[in-house]
């Protein structure tokens, strides 16, 4: 297993351990109702959200973080309890490192050996948005959401990719986000929306486009038109 896949395997194990802790939260005051509004019982276990640290954009809360997020961002992430923060991933990584050092634990022998295809290499990490393509009969737009610090991987052909929900996506650069925003101002058939805020200085960021190939192609065709 190469170094890039080893890093993903480590994140996958840390997130699996974190999920066990997060699902162990219990609130005895939650009231549970059944059919016809009848009160059945009180109290419920629930999944506590992980606040994902991001130095470029406001922190995001997630109940389903994935291995595409950078390890540095994960280790800086936390559970928020009022004014208190529990840095759970950092603590779990410390425990894991001690098990490896003191007991010879090898987490990589039983991990999948190919999260990444052969020849992909880890470059760095940066904030990457998800952009969902929305298209109608004559108009369409992009919904930019989930700005997370993600690891960037380069394919043998030199194309940059990120993991989003366990799948690889090619990365669109911040210059394209800027082009989209500017195109929408001059094209009445195009629109964009940020579900989550960008940084205060309104910089542009890398993103991945989500949607069918036909939807994305139609959006970019509209972008090339002028009103």
């Amino acid at each position: 297993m190469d170094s890039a896949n080893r890093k993903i395997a480590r994140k996958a194990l840390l997130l699996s351990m974190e999920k066990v802790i997060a699902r162990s939260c219990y609130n005895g005051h939650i009231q549970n109702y059944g059919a016809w509004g009848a009160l059945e019982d009180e109290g419920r276990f629930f999944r506590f959200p992980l606040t994902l640290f991001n130095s470029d954009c406001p922190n995001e809360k997630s109940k389903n973080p994935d291995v595409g997020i950078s390890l540095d961002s994960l280790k800086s992430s936390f559970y928020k309890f009022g004014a208190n923060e529990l840095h759970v991933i950092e603590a779990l990584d410390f425990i894991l490192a001690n098990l490896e050092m003191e007991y010879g634990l090898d987490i990589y022998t039983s991990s999948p050996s190919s999260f990444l295809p052969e020849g992909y290499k880890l470059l760095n990490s940066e904030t990457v948005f998800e952009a969902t393509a929305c298209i109608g009969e004559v108009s369409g737009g992009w919904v930019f959401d989930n700005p997370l610090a993600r690891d960037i991987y380069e394919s043998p052909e030199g194309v940059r990719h990120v993991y989003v929900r366990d799948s690889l996506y090619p990365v669109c650069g911040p210059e394209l986000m800027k082009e989209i925003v500017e195109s929408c101002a001059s094209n009445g058939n195009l629109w964009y929306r940020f579900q989550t805020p960008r940084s205060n200085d309104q910089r542009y960021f890398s993103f991945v486009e989500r949607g069918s190939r036909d939807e994305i192609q139609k959006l970019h065709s509209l972008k090339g038109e002028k009103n």
Side-chain angles (χ1 to χ4, degrees):
M1 181 183 294
D2 60 29
S3 60
N5 277 303
R6 286 168 70 91
K7 192 170 184 178
I8 298 175
R10 189 174 197 85
K11 289 187 291 182
L13 178 56
L14 289 170
L15 286 172
S16 177
M17 296 164 67
E18 181 273 332
K19 191 175 296 184
V20 173
I21 295 174
R23 288 178 175 172
S24 299
C25 288
Y26 180 81
N27 188 331
H29 297 288
I30 296 176
Q31 295 182 329
N32 303 299
Y33 293 90
W36 307 105
L39 178 64
E40 293 183 339
D41 54 16
E42 294 186 353
R44 186 188 307 164
F45 283 94
F46 63 97
R47 202 274 191 232
F48 200 85
L50 181 66
T51 300
L52 298 166
F53 176 78
N54 191 326
S55 60
D56 293 322
C57 295
N59 296 334
E60 290 278 307
K61 287 188 176 181
S62 176
K63 294 185 178 181
N64 190 31
D66 65 77
V67 297
I69 303 165
S70 75
L71 184 57
D72 287 342
S73 176
L74 281 176
K75 290 171 70 173
S76 299
S77 300
F78 50 86
Y79 295 148
K80 184 72 172 175
F81 300 106
N84 303 307
E85 298 176 357
L86 173 59
H87 288 247
V88 58
I89 299 290
E90 184 178 33
L92 289 171
D93 191 56
F94 178 80
I95 293 170
L96 188 56
N98 275 274
L99 289 172
E100 291 170 324
M101 184 182 303
E102 296 184 19
Y103 295 93
L105 175 66
D106 184 355
I107 67 172
Y108 306 110
T109 55
S110 58
S111 296
S113 58
S114 57
F115 289 97
L116 294 173
E118 186 176 350
Y120 278 66
K121 63 181 180 180
L122 175 64
L123 295 181
N124 53 14
S125 64
E126 63 180 77
T127 296
V128 179
F129 278 74
E130 295 178 43
T132 303
C134 303
I135 192 73
E137 290 296 326
V138 295
S139 65
W142 293 262
V143 178
F144 294 98
D145 201 3
N146 298 324
L148 300 174
R150 294 185 175 274
D151 284 328
I152 307 295
Y153 304 99
E154 186 179 67
S155 72
E157 296 76 27
V159 180
R160 302 193 320 151
H161 291 76
V162 292
Y163 254 110
V164 178
R165 300 187 182 95
D166 298 329
S167 296
L168 274 174
Y169 287 84
V171 178
C172 302
E175 64 281 353
L176 181 56
M177 180 184 284
K178 182 175 186 293
E179 182 182 318
I180 287 171
V181 171
E182 292 175 349
S183 296
C184 291
S186 60
N187 189 330
N189 293 326
L190 280 180
W191 54 266
Y192 71 92
R193 183 170 70 250
F194 284 92
Q195 290 285 90
T196 50
R198 290 179 287 176
S199 58
N200 292 331
D201 61 5
Q202 297 295 291
R203 286 181 296 151
Y204 298 100
F205 295 92
S206 296
F207 63 96
V208 296
E209 290 184 301
R210 294 174 56 82
S212 72
R213 180 178 299 178
D214 288 344
E215 289 172 330
I216 293 172
Q217 287 179 342
K218 187 173 181 180
L219 270 181
H220 285 277
S221 294
L222 285 172
K223 186 167 64 68
E225 298 174 359
K226 298 292 183 182
N227 290 150

